[in-house]
Amino acid sequence: MFLRVEIDGRPPTAEALWHPALVNYGHFTALQVRNGRTRGLGLHLARLDAANRELFGAGLDGDLVRERVRHALADDTRDASVRVVAYCPEDRGAVSLLVAVLPPAPPPSGWQSLKPVPYERPVAHVKHVGGFGQLYHRKVAEREGFDDVLLTGPDGTVAEGGVTNIGFFDGSSVLWPDAPSLGGVTMALLEDRLPAAGIGSRRGPVRLADLPAYRSVFVANSRGVAPVGRIGDVTLPVDDDFARTLSEVYESVPWDPI
């Protein structure tokens, strides 16, 4: 249920909605807001700016984004899930910002199960609109009893979750897949802080055949971090000590005022 939707700081008209509804070209970021703050705000703004330069040839002013989000939240909404979508109607020649405010999403509960599917998102480094492929595979996976999908190459090389990054803990460090994928904000926040907790962080290839070699596997996105207990028909161990440390590292990330 949407609490509020605005386009360029105003309630949308039917005319204003036709382009984002019908034209599958744009980019976005998604954040959890608590008490008017969010984690990794600078990373969200940098993501929007970089994607805007790549898709539309111009930067995106971070102060404008913050203003639009604050306006959509209004004074009566302190906790929410917020999505900021940038698109460019051809008749305007300027980027518009759609801000959708939804109820806050709780963190994942319990361990997650993932269905591996041979699918790679196009232009995977951009958080772009129109994720039909991953949404299709995710709905199929949910009907089969899984929580989400694990996107892989045709040879079983792991890339990312349907809406998450995935990390593999070998007992001393976290290995993040280096296949084409979206560099998530939560992943970046963890990468920066894991070494201070005595856990290394590196990038490298991960294959489905390697799953039994890892002590623990987890997923991460703006909702938080969660252990993975099953991928396909492979049951995975959950290292409680590591899961506790990972949660503590994530919870130590400060909340930035929007």
Side-chain angles (χ1 to χ4, degrees), residues 167-186:
F168 297 82
F169 180 59
D170 62 9
S172 62
S173 64
V174 169
L175 177 62
W176 306 94
D178 63 358
S181 61
L182 179 70
V185 169
T186 300

Side-chain angles (χ1 to χ4, degrees), residues 27 42-61 125-127:
H27 63 94
L43 295 173
H44 284 287
L45 298 178
R47 163 190 281 170
L48 290 170
D49 180 70
N52 213 72
R53 292 177 187 277
E54 182 167 346
L55 271 60
F56 302 121
L60 190 56
D61 180 30
H125 64 284
V126 175
K127 194 173 181 70

Side-chain angles (χ1 to χ4, degrees), residues 87-109:
Y87 63 97
C88 188
E90 295 177 1
D91 60 344
R92 285 192 54 201
V95 171
S96 283
L97 290 178
L98 183 153
V99 179
V101 179
L102 301 91
S109 60

